[in-house]
Amino acid sequence: MDEISLAYSWLFWLVVCFCGFVIYSPVISYGDEILPRYLHKNINKYWLRVSISTFVATVVMAFVVPFIILMFFDTTSSYLASIPQHFITGLFIGGLITFILTVHNLYQDQKAVIGQQTAELANQQKNDNEQQSPLVKKFINQLPLSVKGDLVCLQMDDHYLNVYTEKGKHLLLMRFKDALTMLEDYPGLQTHRSWWVAEKAIIGTRKEGRKLILLLNNGVEVPVSNTYLPAVRALI
């Protein structure tokens, strides 16, 4: 290569790289996208499908590179005899480039998915906030950011409240009665003189003697007193 001009050398490598792109790109796409019914069913590992496609592309490239060399240079090397050498070289270079591009594509796809999920979550939270009454917003805004989220249940503790949300638990200085007033428009109900439960947090029930116990999605079990039993049974 040091005996030819820089421009001629660049032209040679541009042709080789262009042919590599034309060969590798569709073959890999063909192996993982165009024929998903067969490959995805019989070869369920993504990296294995890419490896097989890269191997096939390298075989094709091994036949193309010697032809390109013959077009650009006067050589006495046998076309067929040089194919194995170009296959090994192409497998290393093509495999490395394919690996880098595949990792990059997976990163971009994952980034796009995370971005979409974040946007959907933000829209959902925005819609939830818009649907909440001012009193509900006022109650939730008293919670620290670390536990601020969908309410699960409230438990009275003297003049304090144990507030359970989907993110954790917080002790809030507030009377139980005042909390019930603020959460009047929140989908939930009082189950006991010291307990309030969000409707969507209820995942099941169990019996403890004659007493009904509500099972919540955070693992908390809430008793139901006879006073509130009809309303709870109507809900569940």
Side-chain angles (χ1 to χ4, degrees), residues 55-220:
F55 181 87
V56 173
T58 303
V59 172
V60 177
M61 193 67 182
F63 284 87
V64 173
V65 172
F67 179 75
I68 298 174
I69 293 176
L70 289 175
M71 290 177 56
F72 278 82
F73 306 102
D74 294 328
T75 177
T76 58
S77 300
S78 169
Y79 173 83
L80 294 177
S82 64
I83 289 176
Q85 178 184 351
H86 291 300
F87 171 77
I88 296 174
T89 304
L91 190 62
F92 174 76
I93 298 176
L96 180 61
I97 295 175
T98 300
F99 174 78
I100 294 173
L101 291 177
T102 300
V103 171
H104 177 266
N105 291 337
L106 289 175
Y107 171 77
Q108 293 297 328
D109 291 344
Q110 189 67 23
K111 185 178 179 181
V113 170
I114 294 175
Q116 181 179 357
Q117 292 175 344
T118 302
E120 291 176 352
L121 180 60
N123 289 332
Q124 181 180 353
Q125 291 177 342
K126 181 180 178 181
N127 294 333
D128 291 342
N129 290 335
E130 290 175 350
Q131 295 173 1
Q132 291 175 351
S133 69
L135 287 177
V136 172
K137 291 181 182 179
K138 183 178 180 180
F139 178 84
I140 293 179
N141 286 336
Q142 295 183 66
L143 302 176
L145 184 61
S146 59
V147 298
K148 189 177 293 185
D150 291 339
L151 296 176
V152 176
C153 63
L154 308 178
Q155 180 191 20
M156 181 176 67
D157 187 1
D158 291 331
H159 295 293
Y160 288 85
L161 280 178
N162 287 311
V163 182
Y164 295 83
T165 72
E166 61 180 351
K167 294 183 179 179
K169 175 184 174 183
H170 178 69
L171 188 64
L172 186 65
L173 178 58
M174 179 182 290
R175 294 189 305 173
F176 186 57
K177 181 180 179 180
D178 294 337
L180 294 180
T181 300
M182 298 179 72
L183 297 176
E184 185 177 355
D185 294 329
Y186 198 96
L189 74 167
Q190 187 175 357
T191 65
H192 190 273
R193 66 181 183 85
S194 58
W195 284 91
W196 175 94
V197 173
E199 291 181 6
K200 64 180 181 180
I202 303 172
I203 60 173
T205 63
R206 70 177 181 85
K207 281 282 192 175
E208 190 174 278
R210 300 180 61 183
K211 185 181 296 184
L212 181 67
I213 305 293
L214 296 181
L215 308 178
L216 306 186
N217 56 15
N218 64 345
V220 174

Side-chain angles (χ1 to χ4, degrees), residues 23-33 50 53-54 57 98 102:
I23 293 172
Y24 277 86
S25 182
V27 170
I28 292 175
S29 297
Y30 185 80
D32 192 57
E33 297 177 9
V50 172
S53 300
T54 302
T98 300
T102 300

